Amino acid sequence: MMVYVDSRTRDIANMPRGGPDASWLDRRLQTDRLEYLDRDDVDDLKRKVMDSLDRAGRRRGIGIHEKCARMALREVAEVPSPKILELGAGLGGLSRKLLDKHPTAQVTVTDIEPAFVAGMAGGDLGSHPRAVVREMDATEIDAPEGYYDLAVFALSLHHLPPELASRVFAAGTRAARKLLIVDLPRPPAPLHIALLAVVLPLVRISPLQHDGFISSLRAYSPSALRALGRHADPSITVEFRTRRGLGPTVAVASRA
């Protein structure tokens, strides 16, 4: 049986972060340079970035953990006791919010970094009666088909090149009924340049701003996310919960 694949997504490895239809300028606003979080030779800087992100995520009322938890729980509002899988959990802040905000949710908390997993397993998440902490690769989810009601991958997809990012769509929509992607927005190219210019002077003095600068260049646009889903499986649909340029990109992928 032959399956039609859009010619623009066939060569997914070379797809621009701005998507198949990215402009000349947008195609140049990307990089293969690694963030501290992606490197194995800067453990101290990596930890500083993680701690900064976790502090920002825990800000009362406005933290990203709170916002992501609300987004996630809206997607399973009709499920009495949802099974939720968090991919790339880092220090586990989002999973804690999910457990706090939903009295019967069962959360599987995962990350690919053994040190992060060990830290979560040795703390409150490891002893929580409704949480399971596991080491897991977001591109190869170890779970039966449709086992979870929702898989969540927050602020992490931009770390992956297109081939691996597409595999997250394939694995997430196989193991869960829905895959929620929350990530940095990719602004229109002129605005993107202006924002990068503001951050550039800070990258040498702030590990968080260093990673934020690179993250912005590696963020996927909505059209790129659609292309990643189509490449993973033509039956995958990607819907957006926010408009471009207004806060983070929030996408929900599922199989028809």
Side-chain angles (χ1 to χ4, degrees), residues 128-166:
H128 197 289
R130 291 184 285 114
V132 175
V133 179
R134 294 183 57 190
E135 184 177 332
M136 189 180 291
D137 186 337
T139 69
E140 298 179 0
I141 298 173
D142 181 17
E145 182 174 343
Y147 181 78
Y148 295 101
D149 296 293
L150 181 71
V152 184
F153 200 37
L155 302 179
S156 297
L157 191 72
H158 65 273
H159 290 283
L160 303 178
E163 287 179 297
L164 292 180
S166 182

Side-chain angles (χ1 to χ4, degrees), residues 47 50 86-96 108-128 131-136:
R47 188 70 193 190
M50 283 301 304
E86 186 187 0
L87 303 162
L91 302 183
L94 171 54
S95 284
R96 290 187 182 89
T108 300
V109 195
T110 73
D111 200 280
I112 196 171
E113 286 281 350
F116 294 160
V117 175
M120 292 187 291
D124 57 323
L125 287 172
S127 60
H128 197 289
V132 175
V133 179
R134 294 183 57 190
E135 184 177 332
M136 189 180 291

Side-chain angles (χ1 to χ4, degrees), residues 8-235:
R8 296 178 302 173
T9 65
R10 186 178 295 118
D11 189 14
I12 201 71
N14 297 318
M15 184 191 71
R17 297 289 175 127
D21 298 323
S23 68
W24 176 89
L25 181 57
D26 196 7
R27 290 168 185 263
R28 279 146 186 81
L29 293 173
Q30 63 180 61
T31 183
D32 292 327
R33 185 172 181 176
L34 297 179
E35 300 173 42
Y36 291 139
L37 285 178
D38 299 317
R39 294 169 54 180
D40 297 324
D41 61 335
V42 288
D43 287 347
D44 183 54
L45 290 171
K46 180 186 291 190
R47 188 70 193 190
K48 287 180 179 179
V49 173
M50 283 301 304
D51 288 343
S52 295
L53 289 172
D54 188 57
R55 284 195 299 272
R58 288 187 281 108
R59 287 176 184 165
R60 188 175 182 86
I62 62 172
I64 191 64
H65 298 331
E66 173 82 18
K67 293 177 181 177
C68 286
R70 290 177 182 173
M71 295 175 195
L73 293 177
R74 279 198 293 267
E75 298 299 327
V76 292
E78 297 180 358
V79 183
S81 299
K83 293 181 179 178
I84 301 174
L85 168 67
E86 186 187 0
L87 303 162
L91 302 183
L94 171 54
S95 284
R96 290 187 182 89
K97 281 291 182 183
L98 290 170
L99 291 164
D100 288 345
K101 295 178 74 66
H102 198 298
T104 59
Q106 301 174 53
V107 182
T108 300
V109 195
T110 73
D111 200 280
I112 196 171
E113 286 281 350
F116 294 160
V117 175
M120 292 187 291
D124 57 323
L125 287 172
S127 60
H128 197 289
R130 291 184 285 114
V132 175
V133 179
R134 294 183 57 190
E135 184 177 332
M136 189 180 291
D137 186 337
T139 69
E140 298 179 0
I141 298 173
D142 181 17
E145 182 174 343
Y147 181 78
Y148 295 101
D149 296 293
L150 181 71
V152 184
F153 200 37
L155 302 179
S156 297
L157 191 72
H158 65 273
H159 290 283
L160 303 178
E163 287 179 297
L164 292 180
S166 182
R167 287 168 58 181
V168 172
F169 279 83
T173 57
R174 181 199 62 79
R177 292 192 303 108
K178 296 180 182 178
L179 168 65
L180 174 65
I181 300 286
V182 182
D183 212 346
L184 300 175
R186 187 173 188 87
L191 176 58
H192 200 172
I193 291 174
L195 294 173
L196 291 171
V198 172
V199 176
L200 183 59
L202 304 174
V203 299
R204 292 184 178 275
I205 60 176
S206 168
L208 181 62
Q209 295 299 337
H210 170 277
D211 273 20
F213 186 90
I214 296 174
S215 294
S216 180
L217 292 170
R218 299 178 73 183
Y220 289 105
S221 71
S223 68
L225 295 177
R226 290 191 183 97
L228 292 171
R230 288 197 301 267
H231 181 79
D233 192 305
S235 71

